Structure formats: structure tokens, C-alpha cells
Amino acid sequence: MISFLLRRLISLVPVLCLVLVIVFSLVRFIPGDPAVTLLGPGATDQQIAALRDQLRLDQPLAIQFVDYVAGLLHGDLGASLKTGQPVLHELLIRLPATLELSIFATLMAVIVGVPIGVLSATRPNSLFDHITRLVSLIGVSMPAFLLALILQLVFATYLGWLPVSGRLSPYIIGSPITGFTLVDGLLARDAAAFRSAVEHLLLPMTVLAAFLAATLGRFVRNTMLEVMAEDYIRTARAKGLSRSSVVLQHGLRNSLLPAVTVVGLKFAEMLGGAILTETIFAWPGVGRFMFEAIKNRDYPVIQGATLVFALLFVTTSVVVDLLYGVLDPRIRRKMS
Amino acid sequence: MALSRYLACLAALPLLVCPLIATTQAQTTDAQKTLIVAVPSDPANLEPGANKAEPIGSEIILNVFDTLVAWSAPDFSKLEGRLAKSWTVSPDGKEFNFQLREGVKFHDGTPFDAEAVKFSLERTKAINSYVQATFGLIRTVSIPSPTELKISLSEPYPAFLSILAQPQAAIVSPAAVKKFGDKFAVNPVGTGPFAFTSYRADTNVVLDANPNYFRGAPKLARVIYRVIPEASTRRLELENGGVDVIQQQGQLSAIPVEEMAAFKSNPRISIVEAPSQIIRQLEFNNNDPKSPVADIRVRKAIAHAIDYDGLLQGVFGGVAERVYGPLTTNSWAFDPKLRDAAPKYDPQLAKKLLAEAGIASGKLNFKLYSFQGPLWGAVATFIQANLADVGVNATIEQTEFPAYRALQTAGKFDIALDGRQPWYNDPDAHITIGYLSGLADTAMTFRMPKDDALDALILKGQQTVDPDERKKLYSDIQEKIVARVPAAYLFSPKLIVFMRANVKGLVINSAPPLNEYWSVYKN
């Protein structure tokens, strides 16, 4: 297992290097000069030239690249052009918001999606099956911003149960401990803060979870139907096992393997792709931060954030591989 | 375990959090004394020394810090003393003597004195390249006594007092600058009505009332700036009472006109409007002899092709005003004669002028550059249709600001929708930067071709001390500029603030368009 993990990690190095080169060159092809953006409309040409010099933007690309890689080797992602703060620091203060949202959205999607898939598969072509298939079709095809707006209108405006946006009530002022509002609320033993954190999480979490839950529901249903037609299921039934143990222990367990891949990849996608949800719900995460950085031509931030996303993406794929081993003894044997 | 029981357990998991929601207590913070202001993005900087007129940071600075002088409400046509009690200007317009207020303290408890003013102004001059053109004029700042300050300029500049009302001229606590160093930008300390409490990236900035404020303690206990990037979310938050104030900060993130109509019929929301000094225009590349717009007949034709009233009513529904020349009608230097001199909508005349210039119908093709955003898109589409009516083809190119700026500086355009937002209340803010031919190749100017006579007149207008003489000079300048048709002047958007109906006492400044919350309260 350990040697498998090591081999897997080493194989990631060329992938990350390639990401580094691509990102570095791509941001430099976006039209528009970061020095111009930074100085604003009132700046003179001399000031722009001075800033370009200070940021080393007038150096040849090769030299800029060597500088950047040298910095990376020291754990330095550069400083944001907009705020002047280190990129790593800027990303780390926003990462908990995105992680919190993605983790809960994934959990919610699994809790809702998997049982629906299982129930649909055990009663194929029943009324329940037809309804869930229709609902999941809507879930897959509904754009996130539309769902977000509908939820805000229903639950915030008409019912008044939940807040429209934000991560915590603005009236609650406290300094973050971990950056995860739910955890911070618990650590501070502040019931109002915890409650506010939960209330603010529910809508964006639902929007983000909807697509994955619908995908998972359809996916689990289809693999379950295939698995339930296998010989070993017939054997298990013939041995007189109860219906639930046939479905759960033999059927579900074998259907979950491909579902884990879907969940893993979608989770990694959520970390980088929650831009719309984060923007609509004024959720201060990395997706929105990166979007702003692209608008401002904040090269170091775009590069740094992409690198961090790539790292999270490949880490998730390693975790998925390891989960395969946990779920399937045959794969576990191959790993060792 | 039976299948159904397993599934029931799974389904019940989300419900586990519900009892927690139900048993916790309500918040106790006094909402009545807290004002929540929605802003579209993070403040770029809370540091006067580095301020580049970015709207959100600038407004926070003017609520945390004080300046020597400020524009007085409600019409903002006169300056009043703030940290300065009184002042005199020498006849040659180069020496400014200030008598400072006594007994004022910074939020960190250190006393305010002339030394702090000298420190602040010299600090901004040294570190802020953005205000080089104006702060660069300061030759010396001397302090005859702790309550007296003398500023000498290298050349006369009557608009200098106006510059001293800007966020860059805010007076910082020297002790706090020494203490925080580079971190002063996230720990700003001033003498203003509100003291900085906390800042969370992309989330909020919290200010608390300064009970010892020299003009009297503010009526609010706390002001919270909430960062909400999406316009529709800001609207829902205002309707639900999640925020108290929304500002139309710039056109790019503004709430569309049709949504404003919805606010008008909502009794829980009030709308405050004020004319601005912002000008939006269809600009010509005046410094490219190869461009079709080098011919003044073509420029005049385009200026007559535009249906100005149709644009104001159709696209803006009355939330913008006509602009007749290089200054808005609410500028003290505006010459009313320009109202009659401005081009009128006359497609026949436009066609005739094009024919005189030797251009056949349908033969003139332009790329019409414009900023991004639905509002700019609507303006561009309107102009495109107007031009099509007189046989000029325009393809709309909506461009992001950095790319736009690069096109402007390089002069790689024929016609472009553009605008200027003056940050100090003086005609100099529009005229010198926009029309001095020496600045043609810098960014965001009208790219005027070399014109020594006009340049000399503009510089004379900038430096003349006597107000009446200055006003006459600016009348002359406006007339000469309009005669050159450097642009089709389109409209001036009103400054609009939406707020909950129980918010009272807010006044809007026209330049800079920033709100002060000292006088605001809720009832």
C-alpha cells in the first residue's frame, strides 16, 4: 500500500509541472497590462513603466518563469498585485469557506443521491422510479444561478426562514479560529454563531449539491440495475439471504465503486468551480477570489490558485484510488 | 438491518441539525444602531497614502479619517473647515495658511497637531504615485506652531484646497503608522466619526462609532460594509432587510433600470438621487490623422446622428441628465450658452455632412468600443442603431477595462464609448487631464492633437487665482473645446443610493461621489 502510494505521488510530479508551464504561459496571453489595471485611470506612462519594472513584467518570459519556479521551491507563490499580500496567505484565508461549502454539499449529495438511486433500482419502472428520474433530469439540467435565485426567493424572501447571502450574520462579530464557521461556532460555544453558520450554509450547499445528487442518483440506479442482474446476486438470493442484505451487502457495495470515482472527481471540481454559487451567495471562497483575480489581471493569484486547485484535484484522485482498495479486496491485493 | 430502516436513518441525518437550530437563542446586537452598507467588492485599500480613488476604500477612508477641509452639505459647492478651523490663501495662489482645530484626538488616543498634518501630506506625496500631478506641487510644509500649518506650492493652483478634501489628503495618526508599518493599510487610525474595528477579506469591514468625535458622536453605533458581488443578491438583501443601503458604485456593477422601477413601488425602500459630475461620451480618436474621424465633418455628422433625448428616456428612464460639453451643468464653471450650442438630433444634417465629406452611405465602417456590462451594452446598441440610420456601420466590441485602457493609450480606435469621473470638485478635474494636448498619448484623455493656443489657455485656467476671472477663462475654454467636436457628449448618470425607508439623514456628495455616515440614523 505504501509503495503504491509513493509511486502514485511520484507520477503526479510531471503532471503538476505541466500545469505550471501551461498556467504561466496562458495568463500572459490574456490581453491587458496588470500595471495599467493596478494604477487605475489617472496614472501616467512613467508611473506605469516604473510599476512594470518593479513587478519585473518587462523581463523576458524565460526569466520571469525561472524567478517564479525559484520562488515556488521556497514555498513562495508571489504577492497579489492588488493587495500586496502573499498569495498563499490570501488563498489560505479563503480556502476554509470553499472547503466547508464543498464538503457539506458532497455529503448532502451522497446522503440524498445514493438512497434515491438504490430505491429506484430496486423498484425499476415504478412510479417512484419515474418521479425520481424526472427530478434528477431537472437537477442535472438546471443552471446553478437559476436554482440559487429560486431558493433565495422561496426560502429567504417569501418564507423568511433563511438568509439571502453571506456566511454569518453581520451582527455576529468574532475573530475566526479555524476559518470554518461551523467549527468556530462550536469551539466558541456560541449557539447564535453556530445557528447562523448553519442557516447561511443551507442554501448554497443545496445549490452545489443538487447537480451532484442528481448525477449520483442516476448513476447508482444504472450500476445497481446492472449489478442486480449478475450471477452472484442470483446465487445470494438462492442461498436464501434476506432482501436487504442482498441489496445492500452484495448489490450496493459493488455499485458504490464507480460512484466513488464520480463523487471524488465532482468534489475536486466543486473546489475550483463554485464561482457562480460563491458569487451569488456572497460566499467568500477561493472560486470567487480567483474570478476577481482574472478580472484584475492579478497574475500571481491566478497562477497560485490554479496550482493549488491542480494539487487538490490530484490529491483527490489519489484518495479515490485508495478508497477503491478499501472497497474492493481484489484491487487492494494488486496495490500491495 | 432492514433496507427501509437503513434508508430512513440516512434520510434522517440532515434532520439532526434541526434541533440545534431550534434551541439556539436570537441575536442580541442592536440592529437599530447598526447600519449595513452593501458594496460590490472588497475595499482595495484603507490607506490614504496608497489610495487611488477606488470608490469603496475611499468612502471608508472618509468615514475613518478627517481631512483639513471638506465640501459642505447639502449642495457641496463650498468648502468648510474640518481639522482646519480657518485658512487664508496668498494673492499669488501659492501659499496656504491653516489654523488647526485644538483638542482633537486620534482613535489611538494620541493628540492631533500640525506635525501630524505635515507627516500625512508628506507621506502621501512620497508614496502615492497616483496623485503625483497634484501633491507633486507641494514644495514645503512648515509648522510655525502646533496649531498652525503653512503649505507652499511650486506654482499657483487654486484647486489645491479641493485636493485637500480628497481621501489621499486624510490625516493619519503618525504614532499608528510607526506602530503598524506596512500593516497600517489593514489597521487604519484617524480622527474621524468612526473607528476601524475589523476587516475580513471578501466578507466585511466593521467600523464603530468614535464617541469623542469633535463634531459630536455619530448617531449610529456601528457601520458594517458587506461585500456582495452580485447585483441581484444585493437587491434581495435590501428587500429582505439584510442590508440597509445599496450604492450604485460605478456603472459596471450597477443595478439595472428595470429593477429600480421595482424599488420605486416598494414602500419599505427609499431612493436618494443627486446629480453627479460624471460624464459619459462617444469619444473620437482626435490624434490619428489617418482615421475617418480626423475630418471634422465626420465628427459633426456623428454628433448630429445621436438621438440624445431618446437615449436618456429609453435606456435610462430619467436617471441620467444631458451633457452639453466638457463640464456638467452642476459645475460652477459651466457656461449656460453651451446648452444652445450643443449638437441636436438631426439625421438629415448628419447625412448631408457625410456626403460633403465624400463618404457614400454604407461605406463607413467602425468598431465601436465599449466597456462591459449590460448598461454599456444598451448604450452601445442604441448608438449603433443611430449610426445605422445615417448609413454608418458600427460593430460593437465590449472590452474589459485593462484591455480598453491599452487601446486608449495606444490610440488604436476610431470611436469609443468612454467616461470620466472627476474626483475633486473643480473644472480642472475634467479639462486639464482630458484636453491638454501634451497628455494626448496618456490614458483616458480625449487625445487632442497638438494645439499650443488651447494648451496655454487650459494652463491659465488651472492657475488663475481670481474666481471670476477663472470662470470667464473656463467659459472660453468650453467654447473652444466644443468647436473642435472632440466627442459626442452623451449623458451624466445620477448618483443613486437605495436604502431601507427607516434610514434617515444621508446626504450625497457629487464629487467625489462618496457618502459620509456621521449624520445618518435609523428610526
Side-chain angles (χ1 to χ4, degrees):
Chain A
M1 197 75 142
I2 302 284
S3 77
F4 166 80
L5 189 62
L6 275 179
R7 266 178 294 148
R8 198 69 182 72
L9 289 178
I10 290 169
S11 74
L12 296 182
V13 175
V15 176
L16 288 175
C17 286
L18 196 66
V19 169
L20 187 64
V21 173
I22 293 175
V23 168
F24 182 84
S25 11
L26 270 186
V27 289
R28 277 158 180 83
F29 286 118
I30 308 175
D33 186 333
V36 164
T37 317
L38 275 173
L39 287 172
T44 66
D45 289 358
Q46 288 83 347
Q47 288 164 7
I48 291 171
L51 186 65
R52 285 181 62 85
D53 184 51
Q54 188 195 329
L55 300 172
R56 296 175 66 90
L57 289 170
D58 43 5
Q59 298 287 327
L61 276 186
I63 292 182
Q64 289 187 40
F65 186 69
V66 170
D67 278 359
Y68 185 61
V69 175
L72 276 186
L73 293 177
H74 294 95
D76 177 11
L77 290 176
S80 159
L81 299 184
K82 188 184 168 203
T83 62
Q85 301 292 314
V87 171
L88 194 60
H89 170 78
E90 294 275 6
L91 285 173
L92 286 180
I93 53 174
R94 288 167 176 89
L95 197 58
T98 299
L99 278 177
E100 192 167 55
L101 187 57
S102 311
I103 289 172
F104 280 101
T106 308
L107 276 178
M108 184 180 176
V110 170
I111 288 169
V112 174
V114 172
I116 285 178
V118 172
L119 281 178
S120 296
T122 50
R123 298 172 177 80
N125 296 317
S126 64
L127 182 64
F128 177 81
D129 186 27
H130 288 308
I131 292 173
T132 53
R133 274 160 70 193
L134 183 72
V135 170
S136 57
L137 186 70
I138 296 170
V140 171
S141 43
M142 169 97 78
F145 69 88
L146 187 62
L147 182 60
L149 208 60
I150 293 173
L151 290 181
Q152 282 176 331
L153 278 173
V154 172
F155 290 97
T157 302
Y158 292 117
L159 297 173
W161 291 352
L162 296 169
V164 176
S165 70
R167 233 184 132 199
L168 207 55
S169 159
Y171 296 107
I172 296 172
I173 311 283
S175 47
I177 308 166
T178 61
F180 295 87
T181 49
L182 290 178
V183 179
D184 285 354
L186 287 177
L187 285 178
R189 293 175 191 277
D190 184 341
F194 183 78
R195 176 194 166 147
S196 175
V198 172
E199 286 173 348
H200 281 83
L201 187 61
L202 286 175
L203 292 187
M205 171 178 96
T206 308
V207 170
L208 215 52
F211 183 77
L212 180 54
T215 315
L216 260 185
R218 288 159 66 101
F219 197 82
V220 169
R221 176 186 179 273
N222 293 344
T223 40
M224 269 295 267
L225 280 177
E226 269 174 42
V227 168
M228 294 306 281
E230 294 282 339
D231 287 346
Y232 60 82
I233 297 287
R234 203 173 335 128
T235 312
R237 281 205 182 113
K239 283 199 304 190
L241 287 179
S242 72
R243 182 178 153 79
S244 63
S245 85
V246 170
V247 170
L248 295 178
Q249 282 172 12
H250 294 81
L252 180 60
R253 197 178 169 124
N254 286 298
S255 318
L256 274 186
L257 208 55
V260 166
T261 316
V262 175
V263 172
L265 289 178
K266 290 289 168 193
F267 173 71
E269 244 179 69
M270 268 185 203
L271 289 173
I275 295 174
L276 262 179
T277 312
E278 288 186 348
T279 306
I280 294 174
F281 288 100
W283 194 265
V286 248
R288 197 178 117 197
F289 181 56
M290 179 148 173
F291 181 64
E292 289 288 320
I294 293 172
K295 277 204 305 199
N296 293 320
R297 302 293 182 276
D298 201 337
Y299 290 167
V301 172
I302 304 172
Q303 284 166 184
T306 312
L307 211 60
V308 169
F309 287 144
L311 206 62
L312 287 170
F313 202 88
V314 292
T315 314
T316 318
S317 76
V318 172
V319 171
V320 167
D321 285 354
L322 292 177
L323 273 179
Y324 263 49
V326 174
L327 286 170
D328 191 332
R330 287 168 301 175
I331 297 175
R332 186 156 62 228
R333 271 196 297 279
K334 269 188 216 155
M335 283 179 179
S336 49
Chain B
M1 192 163 57
L3 176 62
S4 52
R5 237 169 49 213
Y6 169 80
L7 292 171
C9 284
L10 274 182
L13 267 176
L15 297 176
L16 286 177
V17 290
C18 290
L20 284 169
I21 297 174
T23 52
T24 48
Q25 287 166 359
Q27 297 145 26
T28 49
T29 318
D30 190 358
Q32 198 59 29
K33 293 223 144 216
T34 305
L35 187 78
I36 302 182
V37 182
V39 291
S41 70
D42 244 18
N45 219 324
L46 303 180
E47 150 83 278
N51 180 281
K52 296 187 193 89
E54 176 268 341
I56 300 154
S58 300
E59 182 176 295
I60 297 175
I61 286 174
L62 287 184
N63 282 284
V64 170
F65 296 92
D66 275 301
T67 43
L68 286 179
V69 295
W71 293 96
S72 36
D75 60 352
F76 300 94
S77 63
K78 278 200 172 59
L79 285 163
E80 63 181 27
R82 286 286 166 89
L83 287 174
K85 255 192 319 206
S86 61
W87 62 89
T88 55
V89 185
S90 68
D92 68 353
K94 285 170 36 171
E95 304 277 329
F96 295 76
N97 285 292
F98 293 93
Q99 199 65 42
L100 303 181
R101 208 169 280 280
E102 288 163 56
V104 176
K105 279 193 162 50
F106 286 104
H107 302 144
D108 61 358
T110 56
F112 158 81
D113 57 11
E115 186 60 55
V117 180
K118 179 178 159 73
F119 175 84
S120 302
L121 297 181
E122 287 180 345
R123 180 168 175 268
T124 295
K125 185 189 170 184
I127 64 179
N128 197 340
S129 64
Y130 181 79
V131 289
Q132 186 60 40
T134 48
F135 273 69
L137 297 174
I138 300 177
R139 205 161 49 91
T140 56
V141 181
S142 54
I143 36 180
S145 82
T147 57
E148 279 176 277
L149 185 90
K150 186 182 268 194
I151 302 175
S152 327
L153 303 183
S154 52
E155 49 194 90
Y157 186 49
F160 186 68
L161 278 173
S162 192
I163 298 296
L164 290 181
Q166 294 303 294
Q168 298 89 12
I171 309 305
V172 302
S173 158
V177 171
K178 202 171 282 170
K179 183 176 158 200
F180 293 115
D182 286 348
K183 300 267 180 274
F184 185 75
V186 282
N187 296 282
V189 178
T191 56
F194 294 94
F196 172 83
T197 301
S198 69
Y199 162 62
R200 289 188 72 176
D202 289 346
T203 309
N204 61 28
V205 176
V206 180
L207 309 180
D208 280 320
N210 169 12
N212 305 316
Y213 187 50
F214 67 88
R215 294 159 74 202
K219 298 180 178 89
L220 293 166
R222 175 172 277 178
V223 175
I224 301 173
Y225 286 87
R226 266 189 74 186
V227 183
I228 304 176
E230 182 61 28
S232 67
T233 311
R234 289 200 294 276
R235 177 190 165 176
L236 282 176
E237 285 282 15
L238 184 70
E239 285 172 340
N240 287 5
V243 304
D244 298 307
V245 176
I246 305 184
Q247 297 184 30
Q248 294 285 69
Q249 306 240 3
Q251 300 294 315
L252 301 177
S253 51
I255 290 179
V257 174
E258 54 270 26
E259 304 211 348
M260 285 182 50
F263 283 145
K264 282 214 167 99
S265 59
N266 187 336
R268 283 165 306 168
I269 291 169
S270 63
I271 304 177
V272 183
E273 290 182 3
S276 75
Q277 297 191 28
I278 300 168
I279 295 179
R280 307 293 185 205
Q281 69 266 354
L282 176 69
E283 202 164 287
F284 304 119
N285 184 353
N286 295 296
N287 205 14
D288 180 5
K290 290 195 288 281
S291 168
V293 297
D295 187 331
I296 192 167
R297 289 170 296 192
V298 176
R299 300 206 295 275
K300 275 188 179 158
I302 293 175
H304 282 292
I306 294 164
D307 177 5
Y308 300 94
D309 294 334
L311 179 69
L312 292 179
Q313 282 314 314
V315 177
F316 291 94
V319 293
E321 290 173 354
R322 175 90 200 262
V323 178
Y324 302 95
L327 295 177
T328 50
T329 50
N330 59 340
S331 165
W332 61 259
F334 176 73
D335 185 344
K337 273 195 311 225
L338 288 174
R339 270 183 223 272
D340 307 320
K344 287 173 187 62
Y345 177 46
D346 188 346
Q348 292 313 317
L349 179 59
K351 281 184 196 162
K352 203 176 126 225
L353 283 162
L354 284 173
E356 278 173 24
I359 292 168
S361 182
K363 286 285 175 232
L364 196 52
N365 299 297
F366 284 123
K367 267 187 186 167
L368 172 56
Y369 288 100
S370 158
F371 289 106
Q372 287 193 317
L375 191 61
W376 280 106
V379 175
T381 313
F382 192 92
I383 301 291
Q384 183 187 40
N386 278 170
L387 292 179
D389 287 345
V390 298
V392 174
N393 310 311
T395 325
I396 297 170
E397 300 260 340
Q398 283 194 292
T399 315
E400 275 182 283
F401 178 70
Y404 200 85
R405 163 84 186 234
L407 281 171
Q408 281 268 359
T409 317
K412 287 181 183 156
F413 71 103
D414 294 309
I415 56 173
L417 286 168
D418 195 5
R420 275 200 71 83
Q421 178 157 325
W423 277 81
Y424 49 101
N425 190 355
D426 193 278
D428 174 54
H430 270 301
I431 302 284
T432 312
I433 303 162
Y435 300 95
L436 202 66
S437 68
L439 299 175
D441 292 331
T442 60
M444 314 312 262
T445 81
F446 285 77
R447 299 186 59 79
M448 297 300 275
K450 193 164 164 49
D451 188 337
D452 290 335
L454 184 61
D455 279 5
L457 200 59
I458 289 174
L459 291 175
K460 198 172 170 201
Q462 186 187 44
Q463 298 183 353
T464 298
V465 179
D466 180 65
D468 294 330
E469 199 186 327
R470 207 167 166 231
K471 194 169 173 180
K472 268 193 214 110
L473 279 167
Y474 275 113
S475 288
D476 196 14
I477 292 170
Q478 288 172 75
E479 211 173 317
K480 289 203 159 61
I481 287 175
V482 168
R484 286 162 173 77
V485 202
Y489 297 100
L490 300 176
F491 61 94
S492 174
K494 284 186 192 163
L495 298 168
I496 298 162
V497 176
F498 302 115
M499 44 191 208
R500 298 289 294 179
N502 63 342
V503 177
K504 307 283 179 199
L506 185 74
V507 278
I508 308 180
N509 192 347
S510 69
L514 306 170
N515 300 335
E516 288 183 38
Y517 295 109
W518 173 65
S519 55
V520 174
Y521 60 97
K522 284 176 164 181
N523 68 3

